[in-house]
Amino acid sequence: MHTPPPARPPGGLDDGPLQETDALIIRSVDYRERDRVLTLLTRGHGRVSALARGARGSKGGFSAMLQPYTLLRLRLRVGRGAMCTVTGAHQVRVYPGILADLQRMRVAGAGLGLVGGLCPDGQPEPEIFALAMRWLVVMEDRGDPAAV
């Protein structure tokens, strides 16, 4: 099976090594005119902050990749500061049942926020990442979020 190349944001790149990791978006904040600052829970790096340049209004599909309640495969450029730069992304798994129900979105978001809060910045915590993934599967599969 051929994996499509990751969507690329417009603009240049920071100096620093590229690293790929699976990630969930915990928080997304609009920044400047076209960018977003993301708080990510990643499999390989724990909780990290990342700048997604051109993520707002991107015509290349980059913006559409960076959706909540989606397992992403991200290419991150690690810079000199505390923030990474997202240089590529593709969706690994989408949870449409969560996205279709406002109550599920609220409960899933609260759960991801709590799980993300357990993870220190920049420190891999594979068990916490696995817990977050299980949480999304439960929220996707349950018809009633109150039953969780």
Side-chain angles (χ1 to χ4, degrees), residues 23-65:
L24 297 167
I25 296 174
I26 298 173
R27 187 168 183 239
S28 176
V29 177
D30 290 345
Y31 180 71
R32 295 190 178 167
E33 193 173 312
R34 296 180 40 93
D35 305 333
R36 283 200 178 117
V37 174
L38 307 174
T39 303
L40 304 168
L41 180 61
T42 70
R43 187 183 312 270
H45 308 287
R47 188 179 60 209
V48 298
S49 294
L51 178 63
R53 291 186 177 146
R56 294 171 52 204
S58 172
K59 292 181 176 78
F62 184 61
S63 179
M65 293 291 149

Side-chain angles (χ1 to χ4, degrees), residues 34-144:
R34 296 180 40 93
D35 305 333
R36 283 200 178 117
V37 174
L38 307 174
T39 303
L40 304 168
L41 180 61
T42 70
R43 187 183 312 270
H45 308 287
R47 188 179 60 209
V48 298
S49 294
L51 178 63
R53 291 186 177 146
R56 294 171 52 204
S58 172
K59 292 181 176 78
F62 184 61
S63 179
M65 293 291 149
L66 302 177
Q67 298 299 317
Y69 317 115
T70 302
L71 176 60
L72 302 165
R73 182 76 177 162
L74 297 180
R75 189 177 319 133
L76 301 174
R77 183 163 307 272
V78 181
R80 287 169 251 202
M83 191 173 299
C84 301
T85 302
V86 178
T87 64
H90 71 267
Q91 293 177 336
V92 176
R93 181 169 179 191
V94 180
Y95 298 90
I98 296 172
L99 294 170
D101 184 316
L102 188 57
Q103 186 177 2
R104 282 191 202 191
M105 287 174 62
R106 272 194 294 261
V107 175
L112 284 180
L114 288 171
V115 170
L118 297 173
C119 201
D121 287 341
Q123 184 175 345
E125 294 284 350
E127 296 84 15
I128 292 175
F129 187 83
L131 177 63
M133 292 302 304
R134 282 194 301 275
W135 177 247
L136 290 180
V137 169
V138 167
M139 291 307 304
E140 175 74 9
D141 292 342
R142 298 283 177 148
D144 179 13

